[in-house]
Amino acid sequence: MAAAIFADNPLLKLLFENNLNPIAYLDLNFNFVHVNQAYASVDDKAVEFFVGKNHFDLYPNDDNKKIFAEVVATGKAHKTKAKAFEYVETPEKGVTYWDWSLTPVQDKQGLTTGVLLQLVDVTWHIKVEQKLYDKVKKELHSYDQELETIIEAKTH
């Protein structure tokens, strides 16, 4: 089926396959039709592993399932920033954070025929921001303590 998607548009195939970010095309039941190598690499799997499998069997999440269903029902795209994700089967990976978008794929009549899921791993950015926040918070606490000491000394 993946070949059919790209048969009329070799440029689309190039864009899909050579994108550095993970991309997946799913049918209306959220079964994987095709993923690019970047998507498969996130889970250390082959591209073929995903084809025919249901997204929510692999990545159960009721909130996300509602979002996917809403995109199909309304035909309107959805974008999420820095959403936390935990791997159920490999918890040692820890929490990762993803920007992702879900875009309905529509035929010439405007009917939704599938969805395109695009991901960007922002884990590193989130962790750096958290470290900076923690550092600033610690420094502010230190300044606060120092200020309290000065105020206490002046009031005595």
mmCIF file of all heavy atoms in Angstrom, residues 4 26 34 39 53 95 103 114 143 145-146 148 153:
data_model
loop_
_atom_site.group_PDB
_atom_site.id
_atom_site.type_symbol
_atom_site.label_atom_id
_atom_site.label_comp_id
_atom_site.label_asym_id
_atom_site.label_seq_id
_atom_site.Cartn_x
_atom_site.Cartn_y
_atom_site.Cartn_z
ATOM 1 N N ALA A 4 1.574 2.520 -3.368
ATOM 2 C CA ALA A 4 0.456 3.226 -3.983
ATOM 3 C C ALA A 4 0.422 4.694 -3.574
ATOM 4 O O ALA A 4 0.078 5.552 -4.377
ATOM 5 C CB ALA A 4 -0.854 2.543 -3.620
ATOM 6 N N LEU A 26 -0.938 6.945 8.745
ATOM 7 C CA LEU A 26 -1.846 5.963 9.333
ATOM 8 C C LEU A 26 -3.197 6.019 8.637
ATOM 9 O O LEU A 26 -3.625 7.079 8.168
ATOM 10 C CB LEU A 26 -2.036 6.248 10.824
ATOM 11 C CG LEU A 26 -0.785 6.179 11.687
ATOM 12 C CD1 LEU A 26 -0.182 7.555 11.875
ATOM 13 C CD2 LEU A 26 -1.106 5.594 13.025
ATOM 14 N N HIS A 34 2.598 3.439 6.538
ATOM 15 C CA HIS A 34 4.013 3.614 6.211
ATOM 16 C C HIS A 34 4.662 4.522 7.243
ATOM 17 O O HIS A 34 4.030 5.457 7.733
ATOM 18 C CB HIS A 34 4.162 4.218 4.812
ATOM 19 C CG HIS A 34 5.562 4.201 4.306
ATOM 20 N ND1 HIS A 34 6.218 3.038 3.981
ATOM 21 C CD2 HIS A 34 6.438 5.200 4.077
ATOM 22 C CE1 HIS A 34 7.443 3.331 3.568
ATOM 23 N NE2 HIS A 34 7.600 4.632 3.619
ATOM 24 N N TYR A 39 11.337 7.464 11.854
ATOM 25 C CA TYR A 39 10.306 6.996 12.787
ATOM 26 C C TYR A 39 10.679 5.621 13.350
ATOM 27 O O TYR A 39 10.638 5.393 14.554
ATOM 28 C CB TYR A 39 8.942 6.925 12.091
ATOM 29 C CG TYR A 39 7.793 6.732 13.049
ATOM 30 C CD1 TYR A 39 7.052 7.821 13.477
ATOM 31 C CD2 TYR A 39 7.460 5.471 13.543
ATOM 32 C CE1 TYR A 39 6.003 7.661 14.369
ATOM 33 C CE2 TYR A 39 6.424 5.300 14.432
ATOM 34 C CZ TYR A 39 5.688 6.401 14.848
ATOM 35 O OH TYR A 39 4.665 6.238 15.740
ATOM 36 N N LYS A 53 0.244 -2.491 11.972
ATOM 37 C CA LYS A 53 0.016 -2.476 13.423
ATOM 38 C C LYS A 53 -0.728 -1.202 13.810
ATOM 39 O O LYS A 53 -0.556 -0.159 13.202
ATOM 40 C CB LYS A 53 1.340 -2.572 14.180
ATOM 41 C CG LYS A 53 1.999 -3.935 14.040
ATOM 42 C CD LYS A 53 3.236 -4.023 14.898
ATOM 43 C CE LYS A 53 3.808 -5.417 14.909
ATOM 44 N NZ LYS A 53 4.479 -5.816 13.690
ATOM 45 N N VAL A 95 11.653 9.471 30.469
ATOM 46 C CA VAL A 95 10.655 10.322 29.827
ATOM 47 C C VAL A 95 11.310 11.071 28.666
ATOM 48 O O VAL A 95 12.407 11.609 28.812
ATOM 49 C CB VAL A 95 10.061 11.333 30.831
ATOM 50 C CG1 VAL A 95 9.071 12.269 30.156
ATOM 51 C CG2 VAL A 95 9.399 10.595 31.989
ATOM 52 N N THR A 103 -1.981 15.619 10.952
ATOM 53 C CA THR A 103 -2.641 16.311 9.851
ATOM 54 C C THR A 103 -3.513 15.335 9.082
ATOM 55 O O THR A 103 -3.042 14.251 8.704
ATOM 56 C CB THR A 103 -1.585 16.904 8.893
ATOM 57 O OG1 THR A 103 -0.672 17.700 9.649
ATOM 58 C CG2 THR A 103 -2.236 17.748 7.815
ATOM 59 N N GLY A 114 -6.826 9.322 5.831
ATOM 60 C CA GLY A 114 -5.779 8.887 6.751
ATOM 61 C C GLY A 114 -5.233 10.100 7.494
ATOM 62 O O GLY A 114 -5.763 11.209 7.368
ATOM 63 N N TYR A 143 20.029 34.154 47.003
ATOM 64 C CA TYR A 143 19.946 35.622 47.127
ATOM 65 C C TYR A 143 18.889 36.014 48.143
ATOM 66 O O TYR A 143 19.061 36.961 48.907
ATOM 67 C CB TYR A 143 19.643 36.272 45.774
ATOM 68 C CG TYR A 143 20.754 36.156 44.771
ATOM 69 C CD1 TYR A 143 20.478 35.938 43.425
ATOM 70 C CD2 TYR A 143 22.099 36.273 45.148
ATOM 71 C CE1 TYR A 143 21.494 35.835 42.490
ATOM 72 C CE2 TYR A 143 23.118 36.174 44.218
ATOM 73 C CZ TYR A 143 22.805 35.955 42.900
ATOM 74 O OH TYR A 143 23.814 35.860 41.982
ATOM 75 N N GLN A 145 17.941 34.276 50.742
ATOM 76 C CA GLN A 145 18.507 34.004 52.082
ATOM 77 C C GLN A 145 19.471 35.122 52.483
ATOM 78 O O GLN A 145 19.452 35.594 53.623
ATOM 79 C CB GLN A 145 19.243 32.655 52.080
ATOM 80 C CG GLN A 145 18.348 31.467 51.879
ATOM 81 C CD GLN A 145 17.459 31.194 53.092
ATOM 82 O OE1 GLN A 145 17.687 31.682 54.175
ATOM 83 N NE2 GLN A 145 16.420 30.415 52.874
ATOM 84 N N GLU A 146 20.300 35.526 51.528
ATOM 85 C CA GLU A 146 21.279 36.587 51.791
ATOM 86 C C GLU A 146 20.572 37.901 52.116
ATOM 87 O O GLU A 146 20.947 38.618 53.048
ATOM 88 C CB GLU A 146 22.183 36.754 50.564
ATOM 89 C CG GLU A 146 23.391 37.630 50.799
ATOM 90 C CD GLU A 146 24.288 37.658 49.572
ATOM 91 O OE1 GLU A 146 24.481 36.604 48.938
ATOM 92 O OE2 GLU A 146 24.780 38.760 49.259
ATOM 93 N N GLU A 148 17.531 38.252 53.337
ATOM 94 C CA GLU A 148 16.901 38.118 54.654
ATOM 95 C C GLU A 148 17.921 38.329 55.770
ATOM 96 O O GLU A 148 17.616 38.964 56.785
ATOM 97 C CB GLU A 148 16.248 36.738 54.800
ATOM 98 C CG GLU A 148 14.935 36.614 54.054
ATOM 99 C CD GLU A 148 14.278 35.263 54.267
ATOM 100 O OE1 GLU A 148 14.524 34.635 55.315
ATOM 101 O OE2 GLU A 148 13.512 34.849 53.375
ATOM 102 N N ALA A 153 19.881 41.740 60.009
ATOM 103 C CA ALA A 153 21.001 42.425 60.647
ATOM 104 C C ALA A 153 20.711 43.919 60.803
ATOM 105 O O ALA A 153 21.050 44.538 61.838
ATOM 106 C CB ALA A 153 22.278 42.222 59.852
#
